[in-house]
Amino acid sequence: MIGELLPQTVVTVEAYGHEGADAPLYPEEAALMTRAVAKRRREFAVVRSCARRAMEKLGVPPQPVLPGERGAPQWPAGLAGSMTHCDGYGAAALVRATDLASLGIDAEVHGPLPEGVLSAVALPAEAERLRRLAAQRPDVHWDRLLFSAKESVYKAWFPLTGKWLDFAEADIEITAGGPGERPRGTFRATLLVPGPRVGGRRLAHFNGHWAADRGLVATAVAVPHD
């Protein structure tokens, strides 16, 4: 599902249900999970199983994936990537750093956000656009999609900057397919703070793709070098 949202140079591995939950962890990974609840241990193992399978597809020996600053995964030298998990689903996307500057992926259960969350993550202009989208395509939970898109934007942003990006610091405009079409489309995140420098230029926005299928909504951002 997420693989359809990214360039062909990106290797994506997905897992549904508890697939990969019993995959062995490296000792340094297992040490991080000694006090974690069972659900957290499962999610941790699933996405790392996906990541190692993606490494193998890129010809890179499987190795530990440890969280770094702010929990961002530390990838082997020469790779860029992103991971995501939610109930019943996990995925990892990896690419050679020569092919993309950065990427971010996110998946969420396709349902409405809990009460009060949208007002905490959406700018007034975003909330108004969501109302218009809901009138056009009521089959999509646009609030959850916006949340997911902001997560993907942050995951692509952080490796390039090493800085936090608040929900209010990116204005996301989502486009959707017409009624009756498969629920998928694109989005554009306008950065409201100075963007990272990539390829000698300062980025003002990130572009992404989204899709809703199999009870999930997924988003992805790929940042090219130029």
PDB file of all heavy atoms in Angstrom, residues 169-207:
ATOM      1  N   GLU A 169       3.395  24.330  12.228  1.00  0.00           N
ATOM      2  CA  GLU A 169       4.474  24.907  11.420  1.00  0.00           C
ATOM      3  C   GLU A 169       4.499  24.378   9.993  1.00  0.00           C
ATOM      4  O   GLU A 169       5.432  24.641   9.241  1.00  0.00           O
ATOM      5  CB  GLU A 169       5.815  24.676  12.113  1.00  0.00           C
ATOM      6  CG  GLU A 169       5.926  25.450  13.412  1.00  0.00           C
ATOM      7  CD  GLU A 169       7.210  25.223  14.171  1.00  0.00           C
ATOM      8  OE1 GLU A 169       7.808  24.126  14.040  1.00  0.00           O
ATOM      9  OE2 GLU A 169       7.625  26.141  14.907  1.00  0.00           O
ATOM     10  N   ALA A 170       3.471  23.632   9.615  1.00  0.00           N
ATOM     11  CA  ALA A 170       3.311  23.182   8.227  1.00  0.00           C
ATOM     12  C   ALA A 170       1.840  23.237   7.873  1.00  0.00           C
ATOM     13  O   ALA A 170       0.994  22.705   8.603  1.00  0.00           O
ATOM     14  CB  ALA A 170       3.846  21.767   8.039  1.00  0.00           C
ATOM     15  N   ASP A 171       1.526  23.896   6.784  1.00  0.00           N
ATOM     16  CA  ASP A 171       0.139  24.046   6.315  1.00  0.00           C
ATOM     17  C   ASP A 171      -0.070  23.067   5.165  1.00  0.00           C
ATOM     18  O   ASP A 171       0.531  23.209   4.097  1.00  0.00           O
ATOM     19  CB  ASP A 171      -0.084  25.490   5.852  1.00  0.00           C
ATOM     20  CG  ASP A 171      -1.518  25.743   5.417  1.00  0.00           C
ATOM     21  OD1 ASP A 171      -2.345  24.815   5.486  1.00  0.00           O
ATOM     22  OD2 ASP A 171      -1.812  26.875   4.993  1.00  0.00           O
ATOM     23  N   ILE A 172      -0.927  22.079   5.379  1.00  0.00           N
ATOM     24  CA  ILE A 172      -1.085  20.985   4.414  1.00  0.00           C
ATOM     25  C   ILE A 172      -2.384  21.144   3.636  1.00  0.00           C
ATOM     26  O   ILE A 172      -3.466  21.280   4.212  1.00  0.00           O
ATOM     27  CB  ILE A 172      -1.046  19.627   5.139  1.00  0.00           C
ATOM     28  CG1 ILE A 172       0.348  19.416   5.733  1.00  0.00           C
ATOM     29  CG2 ILE A 172      -1.403  18.491   4.181  1.00  0.00           C
ATOM     30  CD1 ILE A 172       0.538  18.106   6.454  1.00  0.00           C
ATOM     31  N   GLU A 173      -2.240  21.097   2.331  1.00  0.00           N
ATOM     32  CA  GLU A 173      -3.398  21.149   1.430  1.00  0.00           C
ATOM     33  C   GLU A 173      -3.498  19.806   0.720  1.00  0.00           C
ATOM     34  O   GLU A 173      -2.571  19.387   0.027  1.00  0.00           O
ATOM     35  CB  GLU A 173      -3.251  22.281   0.423  1.00  0.00           C
ATOM     36  CG  GLU A 173      -4.483  22.474  -0.445  1.00  0.00           C
ATOM     37  CD  GLU A 173      -4.500  23.801  -1.171  1.00  0.00           C
ATOM     38  OE1 GLU A 173      -3.513  24.552  -1.051  1.00  0.00           O
ATOM     39  OE2 GLU A 173      -5.512  24.081  -1.853  1.00  0.00           O
ATOM     40  N   ILE A 174      -4.636  19.146   0.893  1.00  0.00           N
ATOM     41  CA  ILE A 174      -4.842  17.796   0.366  1.00  0.00           C
ATOM     42  C   ILE A 174      -5.713  17.852  -0.879  1.00  0.00           C
ATOM     43  O   ILE A 174      -6.708  18.573  -0.913  1.00  0.00           O
ATOM     44  CB  ILE A 174      -5.513  16.900   1.428  1.00  0.00           C
ATOM     45  CG1 ILE A 174      -4.682  16.854   2.712  1.00  0.00           C
ATOM     46  CG2 ILE A 174      -5.736  15.488   0.888  1.00  0.00           C
ATOM     47  CD1 ILE A 174      -5.409  16.237   3.890  1.00  0.00           C
ATOM     48  N   THR A 175      -5.337  17.083  -1.884  1.00  0.00           N
ATOM     49  CA  THR A 175      -6.185  16.935  -3.065  1.00  0.00           C
ATOM     50  C   THR A 175      -6.710  15.508  -3.105  1.00  0.00           C
ATOM     51  O   THR A 175      -6.046  14.574  -2.661  1.00  0.00           O
ATOM     52  CB  THR A 175      -5.426  17.238  -4.363  1.00  0.00           C
ATOM     53  OG1 THR A 175      -4.332  16.308  -4.503  1.00  0.00           O
ATOM     54  CG2 THR A 175      -4.861  18.650  -4.343  1.00  0.00           C
ATOM     55  N   ALA A 176      -7.914  15.359  -3.645  1.00  0.00           N
ATOM     56  CA  ALA A 176      -8.571  14.052  -3.645  1.00  0.00           C
ATOM     57  C   ALA A 176      -9.066  13.702  -5.024  1.00  0.00           C
ATOM     58  O   ALA A 176      -9.337  14.577  -5.849  1.00  0.00           O
ATOM     59  CB  ALA A 176      -9.738  14.057  -2.665  1.00  0.00           C
ATOM     60  N   GLY A 177      -9.218  12.408  -5.266  1.00  0.00           N
ATOM     61  CA  GLY A 177      -9.825  11.948  -6.500  1.00  0.00           C
ATOM     62  C   GLY A 177     -11.319  12.232  -6.490  1.00  0.00           C
ATOM     63  O   GLY A 177     -11.905  12.592  -5.470  1.00  0.00           O
ATOM     64  N   GLY A 178     -11.944  12.055  -7.611  1.00  0.00           N
ATOM     65  CA  GLY A 178     -13.368  12.321  -7.733  1.00  0.00           C
ATOM     66  C   GLY A 178     -14.211  11.251  -7.078  1.00  0.00           C
ATOM     67  O   GLY A 178     -13.728  10.170  -6.738  1.00  0.00           O
ATOM     68  N   PRO A 179     -15.501  11.532  -6.878  1.00  0.00           N
ATOM     69  CA  PRO A 179     -16.416  10.550  -6.297  1.00  0.00           C
ATOM     70  C   PRO A 179     -16.416   9.251  -7.103  1.00  0.00           C
ATOM     71  O   PRO A 179     -16.398   9.275  -8.329  1.00  0.00           O
ATOM     72  CB  PRO A 179     -17.774  11.257  -6.373  1.00  0.00           C
ATOM     73  CG  PRO A 179     -17.445  12.709  -6.425  1.00  0.00           C
ATOM     74  CD  PRO A 179     -16.158  12.800  -7.197  1.00  0.00           C
ATOM     75  N   GLY A 180     -16.397   8.141  -6.397  1.00  0.00           N
ATOM     76  CA  GLY A 180     -16.402   6.851  -7.058  1.00  0.00           C
ATOM     77  C   GLY A 180     -15.022   6.327  -7.380  1.00  0.00           C
ATOM     78  O   GLY A 180     -14.834   5.133  -7.626  1.00  0.00           O
ATOM     79  N   GLU A 181     -14.017   7.196  -7.388  1.00  0.00           N
ATOM     80  CA  GLU A 181     -12.653   6.748  -7.625  1.00  0.00           C
ATOM     81  C   GLU A 181     -12.075   6.169  -6.342  1.00  0.00           C
ATOM     82  O   GLU A 181     -12.541   6.441  -5.236  1.00  0.00           O
ATOM     83  CB  GLU A 181     -11.777   7.916  -8.099  1.00  0.00           C
ATOM     84  CG  GLU A 181     -12.184   8.494  -9.446  1.00  0.00           C
ATOM     85  CD  GLU A 181     -11.290   9.647  -9.864  1.00  0.00           C
ATOM     86  OE1 GLU A 181     -10.260   9.883  -9.184  1.00  0.00           O
ATOM     87  OE2 GLU A 181     -11.620  10.325 -10.845  1.00  0.00           O
ATOM     88  N   ARG A 182     -11.030   5.354  -6.505  1.00  0.00           N
ATOM     89  CA  ARG A 182     -10.341   4.821  -5.341  1.00  0.00           C
ATOM     90  C   ARG A 182      -9.843   5.987  -4.493  1.00  0.00           C
ATOM     91  O   ARG A 182      -9.305   6.953  -5.023  1.00  0.00           O
ATOM     92  CB  ARG A 182      -9.159   3.964  -5.797  1.00  0.00           C
ATOM     93  CG  ARG A 182      -8.382   3.312  -4.664  1.00  0.00           C
ATOM     94  CD  ARG A 182      -7.196   2.563  -5.206  1.00  0.00           C
ATOM     95  NE  ARG A 182      -6.364   2.033  -4.145  1.00  0.00           N
ATOM     96  CZ  ARG A 182      -5.136   1.560  -4.320  1.00  0.00           C
ATOM     97  NH1 ARG A 182      -4.608   1.561  -5.519  1.00  0.00           N
ATOM     98  NH2 ARG A 182      -4.437   1.095  -3.301  1.00  0.00           N
ATOM     99  N   PRO A 183     -10.034   5.932  -3.155  1.00  0.00           N
ATOM    100  CA  PRO A 183      -9.621   7.060  -2.321  1.00  0.00           C
ATOM    101  C   PRO A 183      -8.097   7.184  -2.239  1.00  0.00           C
ATOM    102  O   PRO A 183      -7.436   6.460  -1.494  1.00  0.00           O
ATOM    103  CB  PRO A 183     -10.240   6.745  -0.953  1.00  0.00           C
ATOM    104  CG  PRO A 183     -10.482   5.281  -0.963  1.00  0.00           C
ATOM    105  CD  PRO A 183     -10.732   4.893  -2.379  1.00  0.00           C
ATOM    106  N   ARG A 184      -7.568   8.106  -2.998  1.00  0.00           N
ATOM    107  CA  ARG A 184      -6.136   8.364  -3.006  1.00  0.00           C
ATOM    108  C   ARG A 184      -5.918   9.739  -3.610  1.00  0.00           C
ATOM    109  O   ARG A 184      -6.805  10.302  -4.262  1.00  0.00           O
ATOM    110  CB  ARG A 184      -5.366   7.303  -3.793  1.00  0.00           C
ATOM    111  CG  ARG A 184      -5.765   7.169  -5.266  1.00  0.00           C
ATOM    112  CD  ARG A 184      -4.990   6.036  -5.920  1.00  0.00           C
ATOM    113  NE  ARG A 184      -3.566   6.289  -5.861  1.00  0.00           N
ATOM    114  CZ  ARG A 184      -2.632   5.336  -5.647  1.00  0.00           C
ATOM    115  NH1 ARG A 184      -3.006   4.100  -5.460  1.00  0.00           N
ATOM    116  NH2 ARG A 184      -1.365   5.635  -5.615  1.00  0.00           N
ATOM    117  N   GLY A 185      -4.747  10.312  -3.414  1.00  0.00           N
ATOM    118  CA  GLY A 185      -4.473  11.630  -3.946  1.00  0.00           C
ATOM    119  C   GLY A 185      -3.107  12.119  -3.522  1.00  0.00           C
ATOM    120  O   GLY A 185      -2.222  11.329  -3.189  1.00  0.00           O
ATOM    121  N   THR A 186      -2.944  13.426  -3.501  1.00  0.00           N
ATOM    122  CA  THR A 186      -1.670  14.039  -3.164  1.00  0.00           C
ATOM    123  C   THR A 186      -1.882  15.087  -2.073  1.00  0.00           C
ATOM    124  O   THR A 186      -3.013  15.431  -1.736  1.00  0.00           O
ATOM    125  CB  THR A 186      -1.031  14.712  -4.398  1.00  0.00           C
ATOM    126  OG1 THR A 186      -1.913  15.750  -4.861  1.00  0.00           O
ATOM    127  CG2 THR A 186      -0.818  13.701  -5.526  1.00  0.00           C
ATOM    128  N   PHE A 187      -0.786  15.579  -1.530  1.00  0.00           N
ATOM    129  CA  PHE A 187      -0.864  16.710  -0.613  1.00  0.00           C
ATOM    130  C   PHE A 187       0.427  17.515  -0.713  1.00  0.00           C
ATOM    131  O   PHE A 187       1.459  17.020  -1.155  1.00  0.00           O
ATOM    132  CB  PHE A 187      -1.133  16.263   0.837  1.00  0.00           C
ATOM    133  CG  PHE A 187      -0.078  15.380   1.456  1.00  0.00           C
ATOM    134  CD1 PHE A 187       0.996  15.920   2.151  1.00  0.00           C
ATOM    135  CD2 PHE A 187      -0.177  14.002   1.360  1.00  0.00           C
ATOM    136  CE1 PHE A 187       1.954  15.106   2.739  1.00  0.00           C
ATOM    137  CE2 PHE A 187       0.774  13.169   1.937  1.00  0.00           C
ATOM    138  CZ  PHE A 187       1.846  13.728   2.630  1.00  0.00           C
ATOM    139  N   ARG A 188       0.311  18.757  -0.326  1.00  0.00           N
ATOM    140  CA  ARG A 188       1.445  19.682  -0.352  1.00  0.00           C
ATOM    141  C   ARG A 188       1.542  20.345   1.016  1.00  0.00           C
ATOM    142  O   ARG A 188       0.556  20.907   1.506  1.00  0.00           O
ATOM    143  CB  ARG A 188       1.269  20.729  -1.448  1.00  0.00           C
ATOM    144  CG  ARG A 188       2.440  21.689  -1.623  1.00  0.00           C
ATOM    145  CD  ARG A 188       2.090  22.691  -2.717  1.00  0.00           C
ATOM    146  NE  ARG A 188       3.155  23.616  -3.018  1.00  0.00           N
ATOM    147  CZ  ARG A 188       4.066  23.447  -3.981  1.00  0.00           C
ATOM    148  NH1 ARG A 188       4.017  22.369  -4.737  1.00  0.00           N
ATOM    149  NH2 ARG A 188       4.998  24.347  -4.202  1.00  0.00           N
ATOM    150  N   ALA A 189       2.707  20.259   1.625  1.00  0.00           N
ATOM    151  CA  ALA A 189       2.930  20.862   2.939  1.00  0.00           C
ATOM    152  C   ALA A 189       3.781  22.106   2.767  1.00  0.00           C
ATOM    153  O   ALA A 189       4.968  22.015   2.438  1.00  0.00           O
ATOM    154  CB  ALA A 189       3.621  19.871   3.863  1.00  0.00           C
ATOM    155  N   THR A 190       3.183  23.257   2.982  1.00  0.00           N
ATOM    156  CA  THR A 190       3.920  24.516   2.945  1.00  0.00           C
ATOM    157  C   THR A 190       4.540  24.746   4.317  1.00  0.00           C
ATOM    158  O   THR A 190       3.833  24.794   5.330  1.00  0.00           O
ATOM    159  CB  THR A 190       2.991  25.683   2.580  1.00  0.00           C
ATOM    160  OG1 THR A 190       2.426  25.450   1.288  1.00  0.00           O
ATOM    161  CG2 THR A 190       3.765  26.993   2.554  1.00  0.00           C
ATOM    162  N   LEU A 191       5.854  24.868   4.357  1.00  0.00           N
ATOM    163  CA  LEU A 191       6.556  25.065   5.622  1.00  0.00           C
ATOM    164  C   LEU A 191       6.396  26.512   6.064  1.00  0.00           C
ATOM    165  O   LEU A 191       6.650  27.447   5.299  1.00  0.00           O
ATOM    166  CB  LEU A 191       8.035  24.704   5.461  1.00  0.00           C
ATOM    167  CG  LEU A 191       8.305  23.255   5.046  1.00  0.00           C
ATOM    168  CD1 LEU A 191       9.784  23.052   4.736  1.00  0.00           C
ATOM    169  CD2 LEU A 191       7.845  22.283   6.124  1.00  0.00           C
ATOM    170  N   LEU A 192       6.004  26.708   7.305  1.00  0.00           N
ATOM    171  CA  LEU A 192       5.781  28.041   7.852  1.00  0.00           C
ATOM    172  C   LEU A 192       6.967  28.522   8.684  1.00  0.00           C
ATOM    173  O   LEU A 192       6.903  29.579   9.313  1.00  0.00           O
ATOM    174  CB  LEU A 192       4.503  28.056   8.685  1.00  0.00           C
ATOM    175  CG  LEU A 192       3.246  27.582   7.936  1.00  0.00           C
ATOM    176  CD1 LEU A 192       2.032  27.635   8.848  1.00  0.00           C
ATOM    177  CD2 LEU A 192       3.014  28.408   6.672  1.00  0.00           C
ATOM    178  N   VAL A 193       8.023  27.738   8.670  1.00  0.00           N
ATOM    179  CA  VAL A 193       9.311  28.093   9.274  1.00  0.00           C
ATOM    180  C   VAL A 193      10.371  27.849   8.205  1.00  0.00           C
ATOM    181  O   VAL A 193      10.108  27.154   7.208  1.00  0.00           O
ATOM    182  CB  VAL A 193       9.600  27.248  10.532  1.00  0.00           C
ATOM    183  CG1 VAL A 193       8.637  27.595  11.651  1.00  0.00           C
ATOM    184  CG2 VAL A 193       9.530  25.751  10.212  1.00  0.00           C
ATOM    185  N   PRO A 194      11.581  28.415   8.351  1.00  0.00           N
ATOM    186  CA  PRO A 194      12.608  28.186   7.328  1.00  0.00           C
ATOM    187  C   PRO A 194      12.857  26.700   7.104  1.00  0.00           C
ATOM    188  O   PRO A 194      13.079  25.938   8.049  1.00  0.00           O
ATOM    189  CB  PRO A 194      13.842  28.886   7.912  1.00  0.00           C
ATOM    190  CG  PRO A 194      13.281  29.957   8.788  1.00  0.00           C
ATOM    191  CD  PRO A 194      12.042  29.372   9.394  1.00  0.00           C
ATOM    192  N   GLY A 195      12.800  26.276   5.844  1.00  0.00           N
ATOM    193  CA  GLY A 195      12.977  24.880   5.519  1.00  0.00           C
ATOM    194  C   GLY A 195      14.436  24.486   5.428  1.00  0.00           C
ATOM    195  O   GLY A 195      15.334  25.337   5.447  1.00  0.00           O
ATOM    196  N   PRO A 196      14.706  23.183   5.320  1.00  0.00           N
ATOM    197  CA  PRO A 196      16.088  22.715   5.208  1.00  0.00           C
ATOM    198  C   PRO A 196      16.681  23.051   3.848  1.00  0.00           C
ATOM    199  O   PRO A 196      15.951  23.250   2.869  1.00  0.00           O
ATOM    200  CB  PRO A 196      15.949  21.199   5.388  1.00  0.00           C
ATOM    201  CG  PRO A 196      14.572  20.891   4.894  1.00  0.00           C
ATOM    202  CD  PRO A 196      13.729  22.082   5.286  1.00  0.00           C
ATOM    203  N   ARG A 197      18.002  23.103   3.804  1.00  0.00           N
ATOM    204  CA  ARG A 197      18.690  23.278   2.529  1.00  0.00           C
ATOM    205  C   ARG A 197      18.974  21.908   1.925  1.00  0.00           C
ATOM    206  O   ARG A 197      19.577  21.058   2.558  1.00  0.00           O
ATOM    207  CB  ARG A 197      19.994  24.045   2.704  1.00  0.00           C
ATOM    208  CG  ARG A 197      19.784  25.528   2.976  1.00  0.00           C
ATOM    209  CD  ARG A 197      21.063  26.328   2.799  1.00  0.00           C
ATOM    210  NE  ARG A 197      20.814  27.754   2.916  1.00  0.00           N
ATOM    211  CZ  ARG A 197      20.412  28.519   1.917  1.00  0.00           C
ATOM    212  NH1 ARG A 197      20.232  27.990   0.714  1.00  0.00           N
ATOM    213  NH2 ARG A 197      20.205  29.809   2.092  1.00  0.00           N
ATOM    214  N   VAL A 198      18.536  21.706   0.698  1.00  0.00           N
ATOM    215  CA  VAL A 198      18.761  20.452  -0.024  1.00  0.00           C
ATOM    216  C   VAL A 198      19.224  20.809  -1.424  1.00  0.00           C
ATOM    217  O   VAL A 198      18.552  21.583  -2.123  1.00  0.00           O
ATOM    218  CB  VAL A 198      17.467  19.601  -0.088  1.00  0.00           C
ATOM    219  CG1 VAL A 198      17.704  18.359  -0.948  1.00  0.00           C
ATOM    220  CG2 VAL A 198      17.016  19.201   1.306  1.00  0.00           C
ATOM    221  N   GLY A 199      20.364  20.276  -1.823  1.00  0.00           N
ATOM    222  CA  GLY A 199      20.871  20.566  -3.154  1.00  0.00           C
ATOM    223  C   GLY A 199      21.161  22.032  -3.385  1.00  0.00           C
ATOM    224  O   GLY A 199      20.982  22.545  -4.495  1.00  0.00           O
ATOM    225  N   GLY A 200      21.577  22.753  -2.317  1.00  0.00           N
ATOM    226  CA  GLY A 200      21.924  24.152  -2.455  1.00  0.00           C
ATOM    227  C   GLY A 200      20.754  25.112  -2.417  1.00  0.00           C
ATOM    228  O   GLY A 200      20.935  26.314  -2.574  1.00  0.00           O
ATOM    229  N   ARG A 201      19.543  24.605  -2.209  1.00  0.00           N
ATOM    230  CA  ARG A 201      18.389  25.507  -2.146  1.00  0.00           C
ATOM    231  C   ARG A 201      17.592  25.229  -0.881  1.00  0.00           C
ATOM    232  O   ARG A 201      17.600  24.115  -0.353  1.00  0.00           O
ATOM    233  CB  ARG A 201      17.487  25.325  -3.374  1.00  0.00           C
ATOM    234  CG  ARG A 201      16.875  23.943  -3.489  1.00  0.00           C
ATOM    235  CD  ARG A 201      16.183  23.707  -4.819  1.00  0.00           C
ATOM    236  NE  ARG A 201      15.669  22.353  -4.918  1.00  0.00           N
ATOM    237  CZ  ARG A 201      14.441  22.001  -4.591  1.00  0.00           C
ATOM    238  NH1 ARG A 201      13.599  22.910  -4.134  1.00  0.00           N
ATOM    239  NH2 ARG A 201      14.032  20.754  -4.722  1.00  0.00           N
ATOM    240  N   ARG A 202      16.920  26.246  -0.380  1.00  0.00           N
ATOM    241  CA  ARG A 202      16.098  26.090   0.816  1.00  0.00           C
ATOM    242  C   ARG A 202      14.690  25.666   0.407  1.00  0.00           C
ATOM    243  O   ARG A 202      14.054  26.334  -0.400  1.00  0.00           O
ATOM    244  CB  ARG A 202      16.049  27.385   1.619  1.00  0.00           C
ATOM    245  CG  ARG A 202      15.383  27.199   2.977  1.00  0.00           C
ATOM    246  CD  ARG A 202      15.470  28.438   3.832  1.00  0.00           C
ATOM    247  NE  ARG A 202      16.822  28.759   4.235  1.00  0.00           N
ATOM    248  CZ  ARG A 202      17.478  28.164   5.233  1.00  0.00           C
ATOM    249  NH1 ARG A 202      16.904  27.172   5.896  1.00  0.00           N
ATOM    250  NH2 ARG A 202      18.692  28.532   5.541  1.00  0.00           N
ATOM    251  N   LEU A 203      14.224  24.566   0.977  1.00  0.00           N
ATOM    252  CA  LEU A 203      12.901  24.054   0.633  1.00  0.00           C
ATOM    253  C   LEU A 203      11.812  24.873   1.310  1.00  0.00           C
ATOM    254  O   LEU A 203      11.912  25.208   2.493  1.00  0.00           O
ATOM    255  CB  LEU A 203      12.767  22.596   1.043  1.00  0.00           C
ATOM    256  CG  LEU A 203      13.747  21.592   0.417  1.00  0.00           C
ATOM    257  CD1 LEU A 203      13.388  20.177   0.838  1.00  0.00           C
ATOM    258  CD2 LEU A 203      13.748  21.710  -1.095  1.00  0.00           C
ATOM    259  N   ALA A 204      10.778  25.167   0.555  1.00  0.00           N
ATOM    260  CA  ALA A 204       9.624  25.886   1.097  1.00  0.00           C
ATOM    261  C   ALA A 204       8.435  24.961   1.315  1.00  0.00           C
ATOM    262  O   ALA A 204       7.472  25.340   1.992  1.00  0.00           O
ATOM    263  CB  ALA A 204       9.228  27.020   0.155  1.00  0.00           C
ATOM    264  N   HIS A 205       8.481  23.775   0.738  1.00  0.00           N
ATOM    265  CA  HIS A 205       7.362  22.845   0.887  1.00  0.00           C
ATOM    266  C   HIS A 205       7.830  21.416   0.646  1.00  0.00           C
ATOM    267  O   HIS A 205       8.890  21.187   0.065  1.00  0.00           O
ATOM    268  CB  HIS A 205       6.230  23.193  -0.094  1.00  0.00           C
ATOM    269  CG  HIS A 205       6.655  23.099  -1.532  1.00  0.00           C
ATOM    270  ND1 HIS A 205       7.112  24.190  -2.246  1.00  0.00           N
ATOM    271  CD2 HIS A 205       6.706  22.042  -2.384  1.00  0.00           C
ATOM    272  CE1 HIS A 205       7.435  23.803  -3.470  1.00  0.00           C
ATOM    273  NE2 HIS A 205       7.188  22.506  -3.573  1.00  0.00           N
ATOM    274  N   PHE A 206       7.036  20.475   1.104  1.00  0.00           N
ATOM    275  CA  PHE A 206       7.202  19.049   0.824  1.00  0.00           C
ATOM    276  C   PHE A 206       5.962  18.579   0.065  1.00  0.00           C
ATOM    277  O   PHE A 206       4.847  19.038   0.339  1.00  0.00           O
ATOM    278  CB  PHE A 206       7.311  18.215   2.112  1.00  0.00           C
ATOM    279  CG  PHE A 206       8.605  18.371   2.872  1.00  0.00           C
ATOM    280  CD1 PHE A 206       8.686  17.932   4.183  1.00  0.00           C
ATOM    281  CD2 PHE A 206       9.729  18.935   2.296  1.00  0.00           C
ATOM    282  CE1 PHE A 206       9.855  18.049   4.908  1.00  0.00           C
ATOM    283  CE2 PHE A 206      10.912  19.069   3.008  1.00  0.00           C
ATOM    284  CZ  PHE A 206      10.973  18.617   4.320  1.00  0.00           C
ATOM    285  N   ASN A 207       6.153  17.642  -0.843  1.00  0.00           N
ATOM    286  CA  ASN A 207       5.030  17.031  -1.562  1.00  0.00           C
ATOM    287  C   ASN A 207       4.856  15.584  -1.129  1.00  0.00           C
ATOM    288  O   ASN A 207       5.842  14.876  -0.858  1.00  0.00           O
ATOM    289  CB  ASN A 207       5.265  17.092  -3.074  1.00  0.00           C
ATOM    290  CG  ASN A 207       5.232  18.517  -3.601  1.00  0.00           C
ATOM    291  OD1 ASN A 207       4.383  19.300  -3.198  1.00  0.00           O
ATOM    292  ND2 ASN A 207       6.161  18.854  -4.485  1.00  0.00           N
TER     293      ASN A 207
END
